[in-house]
Amino acid sequence: MANPKSLELIEKLISFDTTSRESNLDLIAFVQSYLSDLNIDSTLVHNNEGTKANLYATLGDPEKSGVMLSGHTDVVPVDGQNWDTDPFHVSQSDSRLYGRGTSDMKSFIAIALAMLPEFQARGLDTPLHLAFSYDEEIGCIGVRRMIEMINTLPVKPAMAVIGEPTNMQVIIGHKGKRSFNVTVRGLEAHSSLAPSGVNAIEYAAEFIAFVKSMARRMQKDGPFDELYDVTHTTLQTGVISGGTALNIVPKECTFQFEFRFIDSDDPDAIEAEIRDYAIQVLEPMMHVVDTDTGIDIERVNNMPSLDLGADEEVVTFVKALAGRNDHAKVAFGTEAGLFQKRAGIPAVVCGPGDIQQAHKPNEFIEISQIEECEGFMRRLMDRICLS
Ligand SMILES: [Zn+2]
């Protein structure tokens, strides 16, 4: 039987529409007052506009480093999705709870909150930290500020569990990602005088073909990580636009590309190879016709990869909590890579629910997953509580 308090809090958290474009402050205020009723202080780290906040709290001795439970409070939009029920109102049917964020990932947060009185009653030997972020779904934006704050703390958490939906499987790695907007600035001309213009689309095409050639090389030569379904770094172009008419040499072409890298690849080296090609090969040819032309590459997102050794202490610890011995790596990015690479906090991804249900209409979580997560929390108590 799932803890009624977990179910009550899941219902409550789902009722806040925290789609990333909306404020999450109502949800944060609710969590803050719930914590304060338990005599737990929390710190908020706001965005610039003051419309969203991360929440960080510690139970137990703040002089000791402890175990951090972390999750994002925002959800993806329901626009254009065909839901059978109100996505912001939990409805139960058979063994499932339906609602936006049930799997990704408000249930984990709710279960952690519901168990706090038990942690307190048993007394904390090792502290428990809570870290709840905003704007994860639009590129892990919010958590970066919380990490800056955590990096100023005299004592940082020793490890983290990121409760993204993994069916309580222990995830020790995910790929990193960098994405880019590119603008090729050419020179317009009548198409009959093509050599006197700089064809932005054609230079974009050469750029994109170069990115594709790198993708082929990495697919063929690696490096490889067999724990991934797609075992190597990938690169691809996803959006392109340019030109006005066939008889005009196009002045501008814009496109977006990304690469998703495994930990043994160096993202700086990949990015440098691409930029060098633009600067050293393409731009000199463009400048022969007009020195005002060029290629602007703007990096829009930079997500570090996560990579933990299968025999690291934190992995063994989380496996014991999850009651399983296996581990895996996943294709989707999480905040875990940022905690590992930017804060030096080893972070394992393990949470209730299934990523297959995330971001879709009629998102749900199996109640058995909630029960499994509660078991995880109780085994955590056995490890870090006094009694
Ligand atoms: Zn998520």
Side-chain angles (χ1 to χ4, degrees), residues 1 11 94 170 177 187 192 267 294 313 320 330 333 335-336 370:
M1 261 282 287
E11 252 177 61
D94 303 326
V170 177
K177 178 177 95 165
L187 178 67
S192 64
E313 203 183 323
V330 289
E335 295 170 334
I370 297 168

Side-chain angles (χ1 to χ4, degrees), residues 135-367:
D135 281 357
E136 188 271 349
E137 295 288 6
I138 53 172
C140 297
I141 306 297
V143 72
R144 295 170 201 253
R145 287 182 169 239
M146 182 154 52
I147 285 173
E148 282 172 25
M149 187 279 290
I150 289 172
N151 280 336
T152 67
L153 296 174
V155 181
K156 287 202 273 188
M159 58 163 287
V161 177
I162 316 296
E164 291 280 357
T166 68
N167 285 316
M168 299 308 293
Q169 197 183 12
V170 177
I171 301 302
I172 62 169
H174 63 68
K175 289 183 179 178
K177 178 177 95 165
R178 287 191 187 181
S179 56
F180 302 84
N181 288 340
V182 182
T183 304
V184 180
R185 292 175 289 103
L187 178 67
E188 251 173 358
H190 191 284
S191 61
S192 64
L193 304 170
S196 67
V198 176
N199 189 315
I201 292 179
E202 291 175 359
Y203 280 102
E206 287 189 88
F207 186 114
I208 292 165
F210 181 75
V211 169
K212 178 66 181 173
S213 73
M214 289 177 68
R216 286 204 180 95
R217 185 184 80 211
M218 286 172 180
Q219 182 168 5
K220 182 166 164 283
D221 301 336
F224 301 104
D225 184 334
E226 301 300 333
L227 282 175
Y228 286 107
D229 286 341
V230 178
T231 55
H232 49 85
T233 294
T234 57
L235 303 91
Q236 81 125 13
T237 304
V239 179
I240 185 165
S241 136
T244 47
L246 183 56
N247 61 359
I248 303 173
V249 174
K251 190 175 75 171
E252 188 174 274
C253 183
T254 58
F255 60 94
Q256 299 170 18
F257 76 96
E258 63 166 32
F259 60 86
R260 293 171 183 264
F261 55 96
I262 59 174
D263 205 72
S264 43
D265 260 319
D266 175 5
D268 289 333
I270 295 171
E271 182 174 337
E273 186 175 345
I274 295 168
R275 286 183 183 274
D276 285 352
Y277 181 74
I279 293 166
Q280 290 168 14
V281 179
L282 296 179
E283 283 188 334
M285 291 193 281
M286 300 167 80
H287 291 167
V288 168
V289 178
D290 181 356
T291 52
D292 285 340
T293 61
I295 300 173
D296 304 326
I297 305 170
E298 179 204 1
R299 189 205 285 165
V300 247
N301 206 347
N302 182 8
M303 292 268 300
S305 54
L306 170 74
D307 200 58
L308 298 164
D311 46 8
E312 273 186 56
E313 203 183 323
V314 42
V315 175
T316 315
F317 182 79
V318 174
K319 281 181 178 175
L321 304 184
R324 53 197 301 164
N325 261 323
D326 58 325
H327 58 262
K329 294 183 180 179
V330 289
F332 58 93
T334 78
E335 295 170 334
L338 284 160
F339 281 115
Q340 184 193 29
K341 299 282 166 44
R342 304 276 165 84
I345 300 171
V348 177
V349 187
C350 180
D354 194 324
I355 195 72
Q356 296 296 338
Q357 269 85 57
H359 301 198
K360 285 187 187 161
N362 303 318
E363 177 180 347
F364 66 86
I365 189 166
E366 296 282 353
I367 290 173

